[in-house]
């Protein structure tokens, strides 16, 4: 769904694409925030989006959780080319 959204934005001539909060894991992941694989899967999903060209010539703003220094954050990830 996210990859298609990026493609549609690019086709429409957009230079910036904003995704919803917690787009990559799904908004209602609730207790899954306590599971480390949720974070790993989000990074894997982001890597796949980059590999498949989702951000080619398009600034993409993805929502996903990030675990840093043992603390969980609800973050925005901005990627371009």
């Amino acid at each position: 769904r996210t990859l298609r959204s990026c493609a549609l934005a690019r086709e429409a001539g957009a230079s910036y694409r904003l995704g919803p909060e917690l787009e990559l894991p799904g908004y209602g992941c609730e207790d899954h925030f306590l599971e480390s694989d949720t974070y790993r899967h989000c990074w894997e999903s982001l890597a796949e989006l980059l590999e498949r060209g989702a951000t080619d010539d398009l600034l993409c703003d993805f929502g996903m959780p990030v675990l840093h220094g043992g603390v969980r954050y609800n973050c925005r990830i901005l990627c371009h080319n």
Side-chain angles (χ1 to χ4, degrees), residues 8-79:
L8 289 172
R10 188 178 305 97
E11 290 168 12
S15 57
Y16 174 72
R17 181 252 178 216
L18 171 65
E21 179 183 24
L22 299 176
E23 175 178 32
L24 297 187
Y27 188 77
C29 57
E30 298 172 5
D31 289 341
H32 295 290
F33 279 116
L34 302 177
E35 301 172 10
S36 62
D37 63 333
T38 298
Y39 300 87
R40 181 174 45 83
H41 290 303
C42 285
W43 285 112
E44 290 169 352
S45 295
L46 181 62
E48 182 176 346
L49 288 167
L50 297 175
E51 290 168 3
R52 295 181 66 183
T55 66
D56 290 353
D57 300 319
L58 182 67
L59 175 59
C60 291
D61 185 337
F62 303 109
M64 66 178 254
V66 172
L67 182 63
H68 178 71
V71 180
R72 295 165 174 87
Y73 297 96
N74 180 355
C75 293
R76 305 302 307 170
I77 307 294
L78 289 106
C79 302

